[in-house]
């Protein structure tokens, strides 16, 4: 049985950047629906009691095909990850992460501009990601609909949900304004921790 993780902060904690009404719908209805639907689809199967990551890796459909189990498992994972990428406490990236972002993209500001451009330019529903991997540098990628970068050797460090349900109540069709707000509520400690874990595990390998 897959469960809806608790939101790491109260529903109104991200105001004024993301409203209580948005979180109430986005977490309380959309995210919950993905988890409930997944449980309905996997009832009595091998996917009932394994991690979401395992379900995602096992059910990823071939290009041009679709898998309702994959879609709901990936959306359940993506949303849980997205909530952790956000925080009401404003901060900035730790020195090591900032150096890595500057080395890869020019500067922190350049990184944010490139990420925003990718997010705003994503056609239709999807996600923008900062990813890395043991043998790769930092990259910005986007995925459509439910898709995520968990397959292969990519490790997600940060994501932005660019489905309309993430911003339409607060910003209507102005996705760029939502991105401007997004940068004010990033949980840089979470991003740095994930980046640090990967760095440590690749040093140990
Ligand atoms: Fe969403």
């Amino acid at each position: 049985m897959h469960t809806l993780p608790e939101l790491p902060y109260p529903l109104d904690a991200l105001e004024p950047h993301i409203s209580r009404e948005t979180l109430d719908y986005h977490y309380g209805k959309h995210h919950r629906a993905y988890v409930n639907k997944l449980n309905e689809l996997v009832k009595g199967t091998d996917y009932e009691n394994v991690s979401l990551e395992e379900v995602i890796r096992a059910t990823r459909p071939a290009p041009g095909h679709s898998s309702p189990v994959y879609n709901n498992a990936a959306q359940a994972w993506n949303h849980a990850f997205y909530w952790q990428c956000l925080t009401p406490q404003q901060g900035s990236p730790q020195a090591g992460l900032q150096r890595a972002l500057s080395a890869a993209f020019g500067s922190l500001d350049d990184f944010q501009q490139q990420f925003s451009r990718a997010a705003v330019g994503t056609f239709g529903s999807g996600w923008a990601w900062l990813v890395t991997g043991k043998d790769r540098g930092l990259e910005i990628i986007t995925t459509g609909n439910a898709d995520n970068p968990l397959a292969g050797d990519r490790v997600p460090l940060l994501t932005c949900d660019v489905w309309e349900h993430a911003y339409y109540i607060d910003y209507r069709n102005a996705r760029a304004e939502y991105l401007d707000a997004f940068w004010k509520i990033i949980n840089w400690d979470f991003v740095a921790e994930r980046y640090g874990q990967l760095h440590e595990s690749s040093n140990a390998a």
Side-chain angles (χ1 to χ4, degrees), residues 1 5 14 18 33 42 73 87 91 116 132 149 154 167 171 182-183 190 196:
M1 174 101 167
L14 303 180
I18 295 180
V42 301
T87 177
S116 289
T132 187
R154 279 175 163 151
Y167 60 87
Y171 301 99
F182 171 77
W183 293 117
F190 175 73

Side-chain angles (χ1 to χ4, degrees), residues 26 79 127 161 165:
H26 197 179
H79 282 89
W127 299 81
D161 185 344
H165 67 221

Side-chain angles (χ1 to χ4, degrees), residues 42-55:
V42 301
K43 201 168 169 43
T45 74
D46 291 348
Y47 301 134
E48 199 172 4
N49 296 306
V50 296
S51 70
L52 279 179
E53 286 88 341
E54 285 173 84
V55 179

Side-chain angles (χ1 to χ4, degrees), residues 32-164:
R32 186 185 305 276
Y34 293 124
V35 175
N36 289 348
K37 185 70 187 173
L38 175 66
N39 281 322
E40 207 181 293
L41 291 167
V42 301
K43 201 168 169 43
T45 74
D46 291 348
Y47 301 134
E48 199 172 4
N49 296 306
V50 296
S51 70
L52 279 179
E53 286 88 341
E54 285 173 84
V55 179
I56 289 165
R57 291 198 168 100
T59 60
R60 178 183 296 269
H65 293 73
S66 85
S67 158
V69 172
Y70 174 80
N71 284 341
N72 285 282
Q75 282 294 79
W77 191 93
N78 292 351
H79 282 89
F81 186 75
Y82 171 68
W83 306 132
Q84 292 184 82
C85 289
L86 304 178
T87 177
Q89 272 97 42
Q90 300 214 354
S92 53
Q94 289 69 10
L97 177 61
Q98 187 146 349
R99 267 198 304 276
L101 289 168
S102 298
F105 303 105
S107 67
L108 176 62
D109 195 45
D110 288 332
F111 159 65
Q112 290 178 318
Q113 283 184 28
Q114 289 171 43
F115 186 101
S116 289
R117 207 176 306 132
V120 171
T122 302
F123 185 76
S125 297
W127 299 81
W129 306 85
L130 172 68
V131 297
T132 187
K134 280 190 180 177
D135 300 316
R136 338 170 61 114
L138 294 167
E139 295 171 89
I140 295 165
I141 64 166
T142 63
T143 57
N145 297 317
D147 215 5
N148 70 37
L150 282 181
D153 58 357
R154 279 175 163 151
V155 179
L157 302 178
L158 171 71
T159 195
C160 183
D161 185 344
V162 295
W163 285 57
E164 280 189 347

